[in-house]
Amino acid sequence: MLSSYSFLSIFTIAALTFPLLPLILSRLLRPHKPSPSKQSTYECGLEAVGDIRVQFKVQYYLYALAFVIFDIEVVFVYPWALAYNSVGLFALVTIILFLVLFAESLVYAWRKGALEWL
C-alpha cells in the first residue's frame, strides 16, 4: 500500500515541478530594464488613439454561435454518411430526425433574425 502512495507522491511532485521550474527560471534569467516607453500601451507598434473599447452588435455573436452549432452538427452527420451502407433502418430514422431538428433550428434562427448581418 505504501508503494502506491509513493508513486502518487512522485507523480504529484513531477506535476508541480515541470510547470513551476520554467516559470521560476524565467523570472531569474530574464532581462529587467523597465522604461516608460516599454510600459506604455500600444497596438501593433502604434500609440493608441481614442477609445480602445469598441462595441459590437449582438448579431455578430449570434451569427458566430449559429455557425459553430451548425458546423458541429455537420461533423456529426459526416461519419454517418460514410457508414451509410452498413447502418440499419434505426440509424436512418435517427439521422432523419436529427436533420429535421437541424432544419427546424435553422428556420428558427432565420425567423429571429440571427442570420442577418446588418
Side-chain angles (χ1 to χ4, degrees):
M1 181 147 160
L2 186 61
S3 66
S4 64
Y5 284 120
S6 63
F7 176 73
L8 184 61
S9 63
I10 291 170
F11 186 74
T12 304
I13 291 169
L16 292 174
T17 302
F18 281 117
L20 291 178
L21 185 65
L23 288 173
I24 293 169
L25 286 176
S26 68
R27 287 277 185 175
L28 296 174
L29 300 176
R30 70 179 175 157
H32 186 68
K33 297 179 183 176
S35 68
S37 64
K38 287 183 180 179
Q39 293 181 348
S40 67
T41 304
Y42 65 93
E43 173 108 11
C44 299
L46 301 174
E47 295 273 339
V49 177
D51 191 17
I52 58 172
R53 293 186 182 199
V54 178
Q55 292 184 353
F56 291 101
K57 296 171 82 176
V58 176
Q59 284 83 7
Y60 297 140
Y61 297 110
L62 293 175
Y63 192 81
L65 284 173
F67 173 77
V68 169
I69 289 170
F70 294 137
D71 196 36
I72 290 172
E73 288 181 1
V74 169
V75 168
F76 285 131
V77 172
Y78 185 71
W80 180 87
L82 290 178
Y84 177 71
N85 291 333
S86 62
V87 295
L89 182 64
F90 178 73
L92 181 65
V93 171
T94 305
I95 201 66
I96 288 173
L97 178 66
F98 181 77
L99 291 174
V100 165
L101 290 173
F102 176 74
E104 181 185 8
S105 63
L106 182 62
V107 168
Y108 177 78
W110 196 337
R111 283 188 181 168
K112 286 292 188 176
L115 301 178
E116 297 294 324
W117 190 254
L118 298 174

